[in-house]
């Protein structure tokens, strides 16, 4: 029961008054920023990164856990009341949630999403507690070849399984990998693609890319394409409380969605989009009130919201135990770790158990804070939504530029920020997924290091990737993921003649 | 048949990036000690990946448009508003130019007013005032509380900073 002892010790860390305070501030800030329309969890975490500059690593990471949860909850509030899903994982929630709000049932919709997130989040953290030590045990036996194969698997699933088009997903991934080449080669010290600019020798910062793509790109897109459209904010009318019937319909949905969301998040397949839609269609199929779907069925909010939260927690399994981020938010969290010189992975559980278990324990605490803080304060968060759009987006850009500038105090970062903003604008307009680029940038250099290490050990013999069973399995599954959909489409095409 | 000039241009952009990386790779050394591959190996792989992805995108763009794009009706967009795009861009460029010289507070207030203008606000003076209040607050918080240094610029005599 090493995990249990570790967790108990983690609670010692997380419940220290100062760490509780950081968690509390994190949840509040995360919710406040997450409520802003168009600001998803990844951007919230990226924009609030500079705030932790002066904190010790444990306090900072606990604050981030709070920001992460707060941002997710804030995002669902916006989705339900404004029908502007901040990220693809909230689209399923928007379907029924906004309907409920239109029918004057915004209160129960927000309540089922908050309580569902709490239930799913807590169960998912418990599963994380149990699963992490097991994965760590296995991961300790991994060598560079296994890590490389695993990262290739993660790249492929993120780029090709998620999103509408494999072609666009791969293009986005390779752009991210190309950006990851910039800077000094970690193995030989050779500068690559820096063009003699000193600021580029350090490489391109993931925060600049993420804030550029998400904040600047989104603002440019909204200004150019939707700022002249009328917008309807649903009122928070009626009771906040769920009726007995609401509870009866929500409970099973929360639990089923947790069972779907957590595994999806924890295998390196990233993205909460698939589990939220799976949960939505499952609830639709099982519901005793199928006629309610499309008119505001509470199961249709409870399920996807719980699935979203469970999968977001599941994503922390590969992040903490293997050091592999599989969502844009996880990529930013990894940057936060790296800023403190911490490399997540199996060794982290042995070298800094205080930090890891403190972080995991603070997620239990964060979930509770979220529930007791946010449900009563919902009225305040809703007010944030009525800030006029011109001032809102102006404020978002002030904070986005602050985040980029405070990294190195250099206007070069502001120029790259704007360049990434233009890229993000085009990607948003032409439906090119953004997450593969962010993950490619941070994971690309790590994958290259593992690849070259593996070859150094084998004296340049590339067969290591195919003769070691674990590495070979991951690569085979990856190949299958790329080829299978294509073959299936061909076959279907032939049958139709 | 639908053909979008922007899709063709973006596809060519991906191809050009791939070609650029390929050229840059040619100048990188190839020795790598025990691994037998040098710092030029992965860049070559990335260049090939970009060229292949770009070629596929171009093929799709030329044969009926990129696949599985959301339908126009699903998008809820109005026609591209160049004025809005221009104001937001102008704000970001002005901010870049002003940050060292005018300082964080002034640059931020100008950015704030420009973006608000881009979103259709007509009360530019009021916006600049709100922007000034926000950036001043943020500046003081970062410099005095968090000890993160930010440029004071024109207001340095008042607020301190770099």
């Amino acid at each position: 029961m090493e995990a249990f002892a570790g967790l108990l010790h983690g609670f010692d860390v997380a419940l220290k008054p100062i760490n509780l305070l950081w968690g509390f501030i994190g949840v509040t800030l995360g919710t406040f920023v997450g409520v802003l329309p168009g600001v998803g969890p990844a951007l919230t975490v990226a924009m609030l990164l500079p705030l932790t500059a002066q904190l010790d690593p444990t306090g900072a990471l606990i604050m981030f856990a709070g920001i992460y949860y707060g941002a997710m909850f804030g995002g669902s509030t916006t989705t339900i009341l404004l029908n502007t899903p901040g990220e693809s994982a909230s689209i399923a929630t928007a379907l029924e949630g906004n309907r409920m709000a239109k029918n004057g049932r915004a209160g129960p919709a927000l309540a089922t999403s908050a309580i569902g997130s709490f239930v799913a989040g807590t169960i998912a953290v418990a599963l994380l507690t149990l699963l992490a030590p097991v994965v760590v045990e296995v991961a300790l036996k991994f060598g560079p070849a296994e890590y490389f194969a695993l990262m290739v698997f993660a790249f492929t699933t993120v780029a090709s399984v998620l999103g509408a088009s494999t072609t666009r997903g791969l293009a986005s991934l390779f752009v991210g990998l190309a950006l990851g080449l910039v800077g000094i080669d970690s193995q030989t010290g050779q500068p690559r693609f820096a063009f003699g600019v000193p600021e580029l020798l350090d490489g391109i910062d993931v925060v600049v890319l993420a804030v550029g793509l998400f904040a600047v790109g989104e603002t440019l897109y909204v200004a150019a394409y939707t700022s002249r459209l009328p917008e309807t904010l649903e009122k928070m009318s009626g009771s906040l409380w769920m009726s007995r019937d609401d509870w009866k319909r929500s409970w099973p949905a929360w639990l089923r969605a947790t069972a779907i969301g957590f595994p999806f998040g924890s295998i390196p397949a990233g993205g909460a989009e698939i589990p939220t839609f799976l949960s939505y269609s499952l609830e639709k199929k099982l519901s005793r009130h199928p006629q309610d779907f499309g008119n505001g069925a509470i199961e249709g909010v409870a399920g996807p919201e719980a699935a979203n939260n469970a999968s977001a927690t599941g994503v922390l399994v590969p992040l903490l135990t293997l050091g592999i981020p599989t969502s844009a938010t996880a990529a930013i969290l990894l940057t936060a770790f790296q800023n403190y010189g911490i490399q997540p992975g199996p060794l982290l559980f042995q070298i800094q158990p205080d930090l890891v278990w403190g972080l995991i324990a603070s997620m239990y605490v964060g979930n509770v804070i979220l529930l007791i803080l946010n449900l009563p304060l919902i009225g305040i968060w809703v007010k944030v939504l009525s800030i006029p759009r011109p001032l809102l987006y102006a404020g978002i850009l002030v904070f986005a530029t602050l985040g980029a500038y405070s990294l190195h105090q250099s206007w070069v970062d502001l120029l790259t920020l704007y360049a990434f903003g233009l890229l993000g604008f085009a990607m948003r307009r032409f439906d090119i997924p953004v997450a593969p680029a962010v993950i490619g940038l941070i994971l690309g250099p790590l994958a290259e290091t593992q690849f070259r290490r593996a070859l150094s050990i084998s004296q340049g013999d590339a067969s290591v990737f195919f003769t070691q069973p674990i590495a070979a399995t991951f690569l085979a599954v990856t190949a299958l993921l790329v080829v299978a959909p294509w073959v299936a489409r061909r076959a279907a095409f032939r049958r139709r003649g | 048949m639908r053909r979008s000039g922007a899709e063709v241009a973006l596809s060519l952009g991906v191809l050009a990036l791939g070609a650029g990386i390929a050229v840059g790779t040619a100048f990188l050394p190839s020795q790598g000690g025990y691994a037998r591959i040098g710092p030029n190996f992965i860049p070559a792989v990335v260049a090939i990946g970009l060229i292949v992805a770009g070629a596929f995108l171009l093929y799709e763009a030329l044969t009926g448009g990129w696949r599985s794009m959301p339908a126009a009706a699903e998008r809820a967009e109005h026609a591209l508003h160049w004025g809005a795009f221009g104001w937001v861009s102008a704000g970001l460029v002005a901010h870049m130019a002003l940050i060292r010289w005018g300082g964080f507070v002034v640059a931020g207030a100008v950015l704030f007013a420009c973006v608000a203008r881009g979103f259709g606000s007509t009360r530019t003076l009021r916006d600049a005032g709100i922007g000034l209040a926000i950036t001043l607050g943020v500046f003081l918080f970062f410099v005095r509380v968090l000890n993160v240094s930010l440029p004071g610029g024109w207001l340095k005599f008042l607020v301190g900073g770099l």
Side-chain angles (χ1 to χ4, degrees):
Chain A
M1 272 340 278
E2 207 182 316
F4 188 68
L7 185 66
L8 271 187
H9 186 69
F11 272 111
D12 262 359
V13 178
L15 292 175
K16 269 192 214 155
I18 182 74
N19 287 337
L20 264 181
L21 178 71
W22 294 130
F24 193 81
I25 296 176
V27 168
T28 314
L29 275 176
T31 314
F32 179 79
V33 180
V35 162
L36 304 175
V39 180
L43 178 56
T44 309
V45 178
M47 284 207 299
L48 295 175
L49 205 59
L51 280 181
T52 56
Q54 301 296 316
L55 296 186
D56 70 301
T58 313
L61 290 175
I62 286 175
M63 187 163 152
F64 271 111
I67 291 174
Y68 187 41
Y69 277 117
M72 302 248 310
F73 173 77
S76 28
T77 308
T78 316
T79 303
I80 289 168
L81 295 178
L82 207 59
N83 202 14
T84 49
E87 44 156 18
S88 50
S90 324
I91 295 173
T93 305
L95 292 173
E96 298 302 320
N98 191 248
R99 277 280 146 207
M100 285 184 73
K102 280 203 162 64
N103 296 343
R105 305 220 325 123
L110 289 169
T112 195
S113 100
I115 303 169
S117 296
F118 168 75
V119 171
T122 305
I123 297 177
V125 179
L127 292 173
L128 168 72
T129 311
L130 295 174
L131 193 58
V134 181
V135 180
V136 163
E137 203 61 38
V138 177
L140 281 171
K141 299 193 180 74
F142 282 8
E146 282 78 12
Y147 268 111
F148 174 72
L150 198 60
M151 287 171 179
V152 171
F153 173 70
F155 282 143
T156 313
T157 48
V158 167
S160 74
V161 178
L162 311 170
S165 149
T166 307
T167 324
R168 294 200 289 281
L170 285 175
S172 169
L173 171 68
F174 276 104
V175 168
L177 291 175
L179 294 172
L181 295 174
V182 176
I184 290 175
D185 171 33
S186 65
Q187 308 280 296
T188 61
Q190 166 78 34
R192 296 189 296 194
F193 303 100
F195 311 106
V197 181
E199 278 88 351
L200 289 181
L201 285 176
D202 279 345
I204 289 169
D205 202 285
V206 178
V207 172
V208 178
L209 178 70
V211 173
L213 291 179
F214 288 110
V216 182
E218 174 78 14
T219 306
L220 284 169
Y221 173 81
V222 172
Y225 282 110
T226 65
S227 62
R228 268 64 183 175
L229 293 176
E231 202 173 46
T232 44
L233 172 64
E234 304 304 332
K235 288 221 168 52
M236 262 293 298
S237 54
S239 162
L240 182 64
W241 301 112
M242 308 199 307
S243 68
R244 185 184 288 270
D245 185 47
D246 288 339
W247 279 97
K248 226 171 66 193
R249 289 170 65 174
S250 291
W251 258 114
W254 293 335
L255 297 181
R256 280 193 291 261
T258 309
I260 297 173
F262 185 78
F264 257 93
S266 51
I267 57 168
E273 192 183 335
I274 300 172
T276 51
F277 275 103
L278 272 180
S279 161
Y280 181 81
S281 48
L282 180 71
E283 291 314 320
K284 197 169 174 179
K285 221 168 268 164
L286 292 177
S287 173
R288 279 195 215 125
H289 316 269
Q291 73 284 359
D292 284 1
F293 274 79
N295 302 314
I298 195 162
E299 303 96 318
V301 183
E305 270 305 294
N308 189 4
N309 239 35
S311 115
T313 308
V315 165
L316 296 173
V317 175
L319 179 68
L320 291 177
T321 61
L322 300 167
I324 296 183
T326 54
S327 70
T329 319
I332 317 267
L333 286 175
L334 180 57
T335 319
F337 277 102
Q338 288 176 343
N339 283 352
Y340 287 101
I342 301 164
Q343 183 60 47
L347 290 177
L348 191 63
F349 279 77
Q350 299 183 332
I351 302 168
Q352 291 179 294
D354 270 20
L355 185 135
V356 182
W357 288 110
L359 178 66
I360 294 177
S362 72
M363 289 189 248
Y364 286 97
V365 179
N367 263 317
V368 177
I369 297 179
L370 192 59
L371 192 70
I372 56 173
L373 177 76
N374 279 331
L375 223 38
L377 290 184
I378 254 171
I380 296 179
W381 306 128
V382 173
K383 288 228 169 58
V384 175
L385 282 177
S386 49
I387 298 175
R389 289 299 166 267
L391 304 182
L392 181 76
Y393 281 96
I396 289 177
L397 282 200
V398 164
F399 283 96
T401 49
L402 167 68
Y405 187 79
S406 64
L407 288 171
H408 307 110
Q409 310 283 334
S410 159
W411 68 273
V412 174
D413 282 323
L414 293 176
L415 185 65
T416 16
L417 182 78
Y418 181 53
F420 290 144
L422 292 176
L423 182 67
F425 169 74
M427 292 174 88
R428 175 74 208 269
R429 178 63 183 73
F430 292 97
D431 200 43
I432 303 168
V434 169
V438 177
I439 291 166
L441 172 60
I442 193 161
L443 203 48
L446 297 176
E448 180 179 13
T449 304
Q450 301 291 1
F451 179 72
R452 285 161 71 180
R453 254 186 219 156
L455 284 180
S456 287
I457 295 168
S458 76
Q459 307 268 325
D461 177 7
S463 69
V464 280
F465 299 110
F466 308 104
T467 50
Q468 312 235 4
I470 303 175
T473 311
F474 276 119
L475 289 177
V477 173
T478 308
L480 210 65
L481 275 175
V482 177
V483 177
W486 190 72
V487 171
R489 230 175 305 145
R490 275 284 139 127
F493 192 69
R494 256 198 217 140
R495 236 175 288 131
R496 258 183 287 147
Chain B
M1 188 138 55
R2 182 182 68 93
R3 183 181 295 175
S4 145
E7 286 178 5
V8 174
L10 285 171
S11 311
L12 290 174
V14 174
L15 275 173
L17 180 63
I21 303 240
V23 171
T25 304
F27 292 101
L28 289 171
S30 58
Q31 321 66 358
Y34 291 122
R36 308 255 167 94
I37 55 158
N40 67 343
F41 184 82
I42 294 292
V45 173
V46 173
I48 293 169
L50 280 167
I51 291 170
V52 170
F56 262 100
L57 286 177
L58 187 64
Y59 164 79
E60 289 188 3
L62 294 176
T63 56
W66 286 359
R67 306 296 185 260
S68 40
M69 293 289 276
E74 282 172 40
R75 288 182 165 273
E77 288 174 349
H78 52 65
L80 176 60
H81 194 297
W82 280 112
F85 186 88
W87 273 110
V88 175
S89 294
L92 287 163
V93 173
H95 180 263
M96 238 177 263
L98 278 171
I99 188 124
R100 267 281 155 199
W101 183 38
F104 174 83
V105 177
V106 175
V110 170
L111 170 68
F112 194 94
C114 286
V115 176
R117 182 76 221 274
F119 277 79
S121 168
T122 47
R123 300 163 66 186
T124 302
L125 265 182
R126 180 205 63 166
D127 296 340
I130 297 174
L132 204 63
I134 292 176
T135 50
L136 192 62
V138 170
F139 182 91
L140 291 176
F141 182 71
F142 269 72
V143 172
R144 301 270 161 85
V145 182
L146 295 180
N147 282 320
V148 176
S149 49
L150 291 169
W154 296 335
L155 300 178
K156 197 176 167 184
F157 67 97
L158 258 181
V159 294
L162 277 180

